[in-house]
Amino acid sequence: MPPMEKNSKKKHLSFFEKMNYLRKEYIQKDLIIDLIVNPKYFWLSSIVFLVAEIMINILIIQKVKYTEIDWKAYMQEVEGVVNGTWDYTKLRGDTGPLVYPAGFVYLFMGLYYLTSKGTNIRLAQYIFAAFYIITLMFVFRIFHKSRKLPPYMLIFMCLTAYRVHSIFVLRMFNDPVAMMFFYGAMNLFIDGYWSLGSLIYSLAVSIKMNILLFAPALLMAYIHCLHIKNTIKQLTICAAVQVALGAPFLIENPLGYMKMSFDIGRVFLFKWTVNWRFLDEETFVNQFFHLSLLVLHVVLLVTFAITHWNRYLANYATLQSIGMDKDMGCQLFILPLFVSNLIGMTVSRSLHYQFYIWYFHSLPYLLWSTRYSIVFRLLVLGIIELCWNTYPSTWWSSALLHCCHIAILGGIYYNRPTDKHTERLKRALEKNN
């Protein structure tokens, strides 16, 4: 049929006939499958899920009852600063003394003013819903650039994230805000904005200290990609942010500020632990047990640094230097940071329910960095979700959680880079040149 006759015929089609024509013309089976399983289309599915998450968060805020845990205490702690108290040892709330760095104070002081001294809970929830959406945007961009995850994993990162939605919009902890800043810093690092990334990373640390769990791998990334001189520059930026934010408190009571905000020896309460419930309380608080976990932490970091990170980051630095395949190459940067954090959580002296957000969004990426079957990967994700949603925690939920952590670390270890990986990269570089 001549083109003009074909166009004329299309004009006289009914609405349903036009829809059927478009379906046959553009919606092919292969395309639908690609939208579900092809990492290349992760960005397209991400847009759909972001819109869905906006509606879900609105529904949660409107329909699910808010439960007070730490928000009131946060407001009481920053109110002390509002009233002129700069001695950190004197800042307290209903849950105890203030134990977070200065960035937390400034952030929640801003929320204090925005929410009428913390009384406008509904507004605070919507602000945290915005934090949640921003966090997802950062995470989705990382995964899109890495071309690692299939789009269907968004179902598990969004629609099954019961505990995560609660941490953000029903509990309003500081943990998710710190993670939002961290994922923002990761995006900047991947894009090559190292100094700005270091600044944002340090801001994340200033909100909650758990962000330091990523530091060992990040330090190695600095050294490989920027070398010693620029590594010192990045560390200086990180330190300067901490000093600048803490200056008023350091002037008033330097020892008090350092002790309260960066207290690595703090003893956690056994009744809130998610990961050590199968122990008795005497063992849980024992200093020898804590020291053993610290030694294990160092051993695991050194092991993965030697077997994985050194080669990954060296190859990443090479790709960065020649500008080749920067998106997929960022896998070599992402995995060391996520593994460093997972190691810290695996040997943590105690995990509380809000700590789930520390690694929730990285879990699919970590599992897809193993050789396990898809069924086993999804099974591990499901068990982890079950463990974090078992309240109060039990001996079996804690034990299962450790089994999952060990399974992920073991799977990544046995999928470590070999000489074959290096040779493949060399061939790709030679081909590119």
Side-chain angles (χ1 to χ4, degrees):
M1 180 184 294
M4 290 187 65
E5 291 183 26
K6 186 177 180 180
N7 292 336
S8 176
K9 184 176 179 181
K10 283 170 61 177
K11 289 180 181 178
H12 294 89
L13 293 176
S14 68
F15 173 78
F16 292 105
E17 287 174 328
K18 287 180 179 178
M19 291 298 102
N20 190 47
Y21 171 81
L22 289 172
R23 180 183 64 80
K24 290 180 179 179
E25 190 76 11
Y26 298 106
I27 305 178
Q28 304 296 327
K29 181 181 177 181
D30 291 344
L31 176 60
I32 294 173
I33 293 174
D34 274 346
L35 289 173
I36 296 172
V37 302
N38 192 336
K40 184 173 71 173
Y41 294 100
F42 193 92
W43 69 272
L44 188 57
S45 300
S46 297
I47 295 172
V48 175
F49 277 88
L50 281 173
V51 173
E53 279 287 6
I54 291 172
M55 295 186 289
I56 290 171
N57 276 274
I58 292 172
L59 284 173
I60 292 173
I61 293 170
Q62 293 294 331
K63 301 296 183 180
V64 182
K65 184 180 178 182
Y66 161 78
T67 303
E68 171 59 44
I69 296 182
D70 279 349
W71 173 258
K72 184 178 178 181
Y74 290 167
M75 295 298 102
Q76 292 169 339
E77 288 162 0
V78 300
E79 192 170 45
V81 179
V82 172
N83 293 331
T85 302
W86 295 98
D87 185 341
Y88 236 64
T89 62
K90 297 179 181 179
L91 297 172
R92 301 182 62 86
D94 286 344
T95 58
L98 173 58
V99 293
Y100 308 119
F104 163 87
V105 174
Y106 301 123
L107 172 70
F108 279 85
M109 189 185 300
L111 294 173
Y112 173 87
Y113 286 116
L114 285 172
T115 59
S116 303
K117 299 182 180 180
T119 59
N120 192 339
I121 300 297
R122 183 57 54 84
L123 176 58
Q125 287 182 284
Y126 276 109
I127 292 173
F128 270 80
F131 290 158
Y132 179 62
I133 299 302
I134 293 170
T135 301
L136 288 183
M137 291 172 64
F138 287 149
V139 171
F140 291 170
R141 185 173 185 270
I142 292 169
F143 292 161
H144 164 66
K145 290 177 74 68
S146 72
R147 300 290 199 274
K148 187 82 169 178
L149 292 179
Y152 65 78
M153 283 310 301
L154 288 164
I155 297 172
F156 301 93
M157 282 193 282
C158 296
L159 302 185
T160 63
Y162 165 79
R163 176 68 66 183
V164 172
H165 285 101
S166 175
I167 291 170
F168 270 94
V169 299
L170 296 179
R171 304 294 185 266
M172 299 184 291
F173 290 112
N174 63 328
D175 305 75
V177 189
M179 291 306 300
M180 177 185 72
F181 276 86
F182 169 74
Y183 287 124
M186 269 195 82
N187 275 274
L188 291 167
F189 289 138
I190 290 170
D191 290 342
Y193 298 105
W194 289 94
S195 295
L196 185 56
S198 295
L199 188 150
I200 301 300
Y201 174 81
S202 193
L203 286 176
V205 173
S206 76
I207 295 170
K208 190 149 188 178
M209 204 169 53
N210 70 285
I211 305 300
L212 288 174
L213 294 178
F214 297 94
L218 180 59
L219 176 60
M220 286 193 68
Y222 282 154
I223 293 171
H224 277 286
C225 296
L226 305 177
H227 308 297
I228 296 300
K229 182 179 179 180
N230 281 318
T231 294
I232 294 173
K233 175 184 174 182
Q234 301 309 314
L235 296 178
T236 302
I237 291 172
C238 292
V241 170
Q242 298 303 318
V243 173
L245 293 174
F249 307 103
L250 289 168
I251 292 171
E252 181 69 23
N253 184 351
L255 292 179
Y257 174 71
M258 295 300 296
K259 181 179 184 300
M260 300 303 294
S261 60
F262 293 98
D263 183 11
I264 60 174
R266 185 157 56 102
V267 178
F268 293 97
L269 295 177
F270 180 69
K271 69 176 182 178
W272 296 118
T273 188
V274 175
N275 58 329
W276 297 113
R277 183 63 63 180
F278 54 85
L279 299 177
D280 60 82
E281 187 168 2
E282 184 178 354
T283 302
F284 176 79
V285 299
N286 188 281
Q287 289 298 317
F288 180 76
F289 174 62
H290 295 170
L291 181 61
S292 299
L293 291 176
L294 178 60
V295 171
L296 181 58
H297 191 176
V298 173
V299 169
L300 287 172
L301 287 174
V302 171
T303 299
F304 276 87
I306 294 172
T307 61
H308 290 66
W309 305 346
N310 191 52
R311 187 167 293 185
Y312 280 144
L313 293 169
N315 290 340
Y316 179 69
T318 301
L319 292 176
Q320 290 286 99
S321 66
I322 65 173
M324 174 189 168
D325 201 7
K326 286 188 176 181
D327 281 359
M328 292 187 69
C330 70
Q331 293 182 22
L332 301 169
F333 173 80
I334 295 168
L335 186 59
L337 266 70
F338 283 172
V339 172
S340 180
N341 182 56
L342 176 62
I343 289 172
M345 294 199 66
T346 301
V347 298
S348 174
R349 288 185 296 134
S350 185
L351 296 176
H352 296 173
Y353 284 97
Q354 66 268 32
F355 296 0
Y356 191 21
I357 195 63
W358 292 6
Y359 73 163
F360 173 80
H361 292 106
S362 68
L363 287 172
Y365 193 95
L366 289 164
L367 281 163
W368 256 254
S369 299
T370 69
R371 297 178 185 175
Y372 297 139
S373 68
I374 293 176
V375 172
F376 185 76
R377 294 169 186 171
L378 295 178
L379 177 63
V380 172
L381 281 178
I383 293 173
I384 291 175
E385 183 74 12
L386 172 66
C387 294
W388 283 97
N389 282 284
T390 300
Y391 178 81
S393 61
T394 64
W395 67 267
W396 61 263
S397 66
S398 292
L400 275 177
L401 186 61
H402 278 286
C403 289
C404 290
H405 290 168
I406 293 170
I408 298 173
L409 285 174
I412 294 172
Y413 179 80
Y414 285 108
N415 196 29
R416 60 189 179 276
T418 63
D419 291 335
K420 290 182 179 179
H421 291 91
T422 302
E423 288 300 320
R424 194 179 305 134
L425 177 65
K426 286 181 179 178
R427 287 196 297 270
L429 291 175
E430 290 170 0
K431 183 179 179 181
N432 185 65
N433 292 332

